[in-house]
Amino acid sequence: MIASCAGLGVGAFRLGNLGKHSLSEARFAIVMASIKATNITWHEGHVGRDEREGLLKQKGATIWFTGLSGSGKSTVAFTLEHALVRRGHLSYALDGDNIRHGLNNNLGFSPEDRTENIRRIGEVAKLFADTGVITLTSFISPYRADRDLVREIHEKDGLPFIEVYFEAALEVCEERDPKGLYKKARAGEIKEFTGISAPYEEPNNAELTINTGECSPQEATIAILNYLEEKGMVRLKDE
């Protein structure tokens, strides 16, 4: 299916197959083997999700932006956050670089650290969504299994998880190079850089795929808003 965008004359948007996502047994075993906390008990609070969502007059969700550096994830995330707040929705954008200034500043870019980076932010996003916030995460998140793990923990708790793939050709992202990172990676100054010296695994079943090489950040934002409206997750513009 093609999701059209006003003013855009190309098929830049695709709706994905919303089939069942699950982790492989091997991947699940690796994740479980890394759990070190023992002798702990989950404590239920006195305020339920329904009460929080009633207070905010909205349902929480995580919208997960994934794609190469320079594909437009952060720009669209902050544009969408602004648009949602203007419509009266509580929304918060969790940006990959921003998170590495604090919570994840002890992680590098090895495959192991990338996995832990996504695991942590996945848990944070789940907590935000559980409070009723429409949570926007902009992370390269290059490994399919890591994204599937985040999806799994949301679905286990009955929280919506929407994967949005920012599909932009490497050549387009490298030409943009807003942070000068591709130039440094090509010069060998940055190791394990996604798309150059480290892999990116495209989603198999993203809810929405946006070719950001063929549309503006504003058009991409409109496409996501249209999707959320169709799913009844946000109020219509004129409400």
Side-chain angles (χ1 to χ4, degrees):
M1 297 173 61
I2 303 295
S4 62
C5 182
L8 188 65
V10 295
F13 308 100
R14 296 201 307 273
L15 296 178
N17 177 6
L18 306 185
K20 174 66 177 176
H21 296 252
S22 63
L23 293 175
S24 68
E25 292 184 5
R27 181 67 185 176
F28 184 75
I30 291 172
V31 173
M32 293 302 294
S34 67
I35 297 176
K36 298 180 180 179
T38 58
N39 300 313
I40 56 176
T41 302
W42 181 268
H43 292 272
E44 290 292 345
H46 300 296
V47 179
R49 186 183 302 161
D50 289 344
E51 291 181 75
R52 291 190 290 270
E53 292 178 342
L55 185 66
L56 295 173
K57 297 181 174 58
Q58 67 180 45
K59 290 186 177 297
T62 291
I63 305 172
W64 190 278
F65 298 172
T66 178
L68 294 174
S69 177
S71 60
K73 301 181 301 299
S74 296
T75 301
V76 175
F78 288 117
T79 303
L80 180 59
E81 178 190 43
H82 183 248
L84 288 169
V85 170
R86 290 289 298 272
R87 289 194 185 194
H89 288 286
L90 180 59
S91 180
Y92 195 87
L94 297 167
D95 178 74
D97 278 4
N98 291 355
I99 293 297
R100 284 182 177 272
H101 276 83
L103 177 64
N104 290 350
N105 65 7
N106 64 327
L107 297 176
F109 293 91
S110 67
E112 295 78 14
D113 279 3
R114 286 179 184 271
T115 290
E116 176 61 12
N117 182 51
I118 298 308
R119 188 197 69 80
R120 289 184 193 179
I121 198 59
E123 293 286 355
V124 171
K126 187 187 77 169
L127 292 174
F128 273 48
D130 186 52
T131 66
V133 176
I134 299 174
T135 311
L136 316 174
T137 66
S138 55
F139 288 75
I140 293 173
S141 43
Y143 302 128
R144 192 177 298 120
D146 295 339
R147 299 190 302 266
D148 286 348
L149 174 61
V150 178
R151 178 186 292 276
E152 194 108 333
I153 65 173
H154 278 73
E155 291 181 347
K156 181 181 177 182
D157 279 9
L159 291 165
F161 178 86
I162 299 164
E163 187 175 32
V164 182
Y165 173 35
F166 281 58
E167 184 182 45
L170 175 62
E171 295 76 15
V172 172
C173 296
E174 193 165 358
E175 183 178 352
R176 291 172 177 170
D177 203 11
K179 305 171 186 176
L181 299 179
Y182 283 99
K183 184 177 180 180
K184 291 182 178 179
R186 290 292 186 189
E189 298 175 25
I190 300 178
K191 306 298 182 184
E192 298 179 303
F193 189 80
T194 303
I196 303 297
S197 51
Y200 178 80
E201 299 172 357
E202 296 183 356
N204 288 329
N205 292 288
E207 278 74 11
L208 189 61
T209 295
I210 302 178
N211 188 335
T212 52
E214 298 181 353
C215 68
S216 69
Q218 291 74 22
E219 289 170 328
T221 299
I222 290 170
I224 299 170
L225 279 171
N226 288 342
Y227 176 88
L228 296 176
E229 286 179 358
E230 291 171 4
K231 297 299 179 182
M233 299 178 66
V234 301
R235 290 183 282 276
L236 298 178
K237 186 175 182 180
D238 298 328
E239 287 186 358

